[in-house]
Amino acid sequence: MKLASIDNNTRDGELVVVNKELTKAIRVPEIASTMQLAIDNWADNETKLQNIYEQLNSGTLTTGTFDFATVRVLAPIPRAYHWADGSAYVTHVELVRKARNAELPESFWTDPLMYMGASDAFIGAHDDIEIENEEWGIDFESEVAVITDDVPAGVSAEEALNHIKFVTIINDVSLRNLIPNELSKQFGFYQSKPWTSFAPVIVSVDELKNEFVDGKLHLPLISALNGEVLGTPNAGIDMTFNFGELIAHAAKTRSLMAGTVIGSGTVANQGSPTGSSCIAEIRCLETIKDGKPSTPFMKFGDQIEIEMKNAVGASIFGKINQKVKKYEKK
């Protein structure tokens, strides 16, 4: 099934079921008013929502439906109790370190990197990326993310796969020029990671049975900046840690609550001319080749589009389509 949250002038939006083609949707207040409430009681709600989804796709359900394109979409889960981003594509980390002549610790291949991000608010697929200063090095990061139900502490990587309920794509915006100072303190990201944006819909794992295999989403992730495609890496290739392993890592010492969002980190394919999903990696490749980077970070007015399509070219999650805008205090 495909679910979304639409704007209803509340922080958490209103839950809707969306058809496969992303053209029609319907509100389901009799089941759950918000995405978080739906996931909190997933054992009771899954079958009810699946029935609505099937009726919506078959055309037997018409009363109460509306054109999905006519409403403002929020992030599918506008705020979550827990958001943790991994770095599952270790070749990406290796490249970044190579560009600054730093060795990659051997442990990075066996023990995932992960940080906890800001989950008090996520932003919608068409919301502006509002940043105060261009000099902070504004970058996009195209990623895959999953949403879980309740995950017990100490879960194995194999068991963790059963707790993945939804898959989507995200733009984990980074402020590259703020990162070095933060990491030098050895206490992780904070100021360098503004709000993360989500695709319009999340998609249940059963809907992706041919693409989401072994905890990896085996499809190209397309990133285009100002209309120019910068990368199309396949998210199922070069993923050192699958989502089961990432979830198990996050749940090693504590349970994860329903609605937890786990990110893959920047999708990257090693050795591919279109294998990058962020400007930073492109700049690293330029530095290794030419001794210095030539591609600038994003500026005010730039437009970033991120999308994933199925084998017949149809958009699976809808398109992230955002402009970078100067933040003005209100």
Side-chain angles (χ1 to χ4, degrees), residues 80-153:
Y81 295 118
H82 195 160
W83 152 231
D85 199 17
S87 190
Y89 299 86
V90 179
T91 54
H92 165 75
V93 183
E94 184 179 43
L95 177 64
V96 171
R97 285 180 167 254
K98 182 179 179 181
R100 66 173 191 261
N101 296 315
E103 290 189 12
L104 184 78
E106 195 62 32
S107 63
F108 281 26
W109 294 102
T110 56
D111 188 25
L113 295 174
M114 185 170 284
Y115 78 92
M116 187 182 293
S119 63
D120 54 329
F122 295 131
I123 59 177
H126 307 138
D127 292 342
D128 292 331
I129 301 170
E130 296 186 288
I131 304 296
E132 190 172 343
N133 192 332
E134 286 182 340
E135 299 305 313
W136 289 346
I138 309 165
D139 199 0
F140 68 91
E141 288 193 55
S142 305
E143 304 186 12
V144 177
V146 299
I147 299 176
T148 74
D149 61 5
D150 289 304
V151 181

Side-chain angles (χ1 to χ4, degrees), residues 55 74 78 89 99 146 161 169 173 189 204 216 307:
Q55 293 176 56
L74 306 178
Y89 299 86
V146 299
L161 292 174
I169 58 174
V173 178
F189 301 117
S204 57
K216 302 177 183 181
E307 191 173 22

Side-chain angles (χ1 to χ4, degrees), residues 170-182:
I170 63 174
N171 180 11
D172 180 42
V173 178
S174 291
L175 303 177
R176 297 295 184 183
N177 295 337
L178 299 185
I179 289 177
N181 183 56
E182 288 205 294

Side-chain angles (χ1 to χ4, degrees), residues 75-286:
I77 186 162
R79 52 179 176 170
Y81 295 118
H82 195 160
W83 152 231
D85 199 17
S87 190
Y89 299 86
V90 179
T91 54
H92 165 75
V93 183
E94 184 179 43
L95 177 64
V96 171
R97 285 180 167 254
K98 182 179 179 181
R100 66 173 191 261
N101 296 315
E103 290 189 12
L104 184 78
E106 195 62 32
S107 63
F108 281 26
W109 294 102
T110 56
D111 188 25
L113 295 174
M114 185 170 284
Y115 78 92
M116 187 182 293
S119 63
D120 54 329
F122 295 131
I123 59 177
H126 307 138
D127 292 342
D128 292 331
I129 301 170
E130 296 186 288
I131 304 296
E132 190 172 343
N133 192 332
E134 286 182 340
E135 299 305 313
W136 289 346
I138 309 165
D139 199 0
F140 68 91
E141 288 193 55
S142 305
E143 304 186 12
V144 177
V146 299
I147 299 176
T148 74
D149 61 5
D150 289 304
V151 181
V155 69
S156 69
E158 184 177 0
E159 293 169 339
L161 292 174
N162 296 322
H163 292 280
I164 299 172
K165 299 306 169 186
F166 293 97
V167 183
T168 193
I169 58 174
I170 63 174
N171 180 11
D172 180 42
V173 178
S174 291
L175 303 177
R176 297 295 184 183
N177 295 337
L178 299 185
I179 289 177
N181 183 56
E182 288 205 294
L183 292 187
S184 70
K185 299 175 183 178
Q186 299 186 358
F187 215 61
F189 301 117
Y190 195 89
Q191 293 176 336
S192 54
K193 288 290 185 178
W195 285 331
T196 300
S197 48
F198 280 61
V201 303
I202 57 175
V203 179
S204 57
V205 173
D206 65 287
E207 185 86 3
L208 298 165
K209 59 185 176 182
N210 296 321
E211 296 88 8
F212 193 75
V213 181
D214 297 327
K216 302 177 183 181
L217 186 54
H218 297 265
L219 286 169
L221 184 56
I222 307 161
S223 303
L225 182 62
N226 297 325
E228 178 185 355
V229 174
L230 294 188
T232 58
N234 189 306
I237 298 174
D238 293 327
M239 190 178 187
T240 307
F241 306 103
N242 70 19
F243 276 107
E245 293 170 305
L246 293 178
I247 293 168
H249 180 84
K252 180 175 181 178
T253 61
R254 59 180 175 181
S255 301
L256 307 180
M257 298 298 100
T260 291
V261 183
I262 302 290
S264 66
T266 309
V267 176
N269 288 167
Q270 186 178 30
S272 168
T274 59
S276 301
S277 293
C278 66
I279 295 172
E281 180 165 313
I282 294 171
R283 287 168 60 89
C284 287
L285 290 168
E286 292 167 346

Side-chain angles (χ1 to χ4, degrees), residues 3 14-17 26-33 48-49 52:
L3 302 179
E14 184 174 17
L15 174 68
V16 297
V17 180
I26 187 168
R27 298 171 175 85
V28 286
E30 71 282 5
I31 300 175
S33 58
K48 299 174 186 176
L49 291 168
I52 295 290

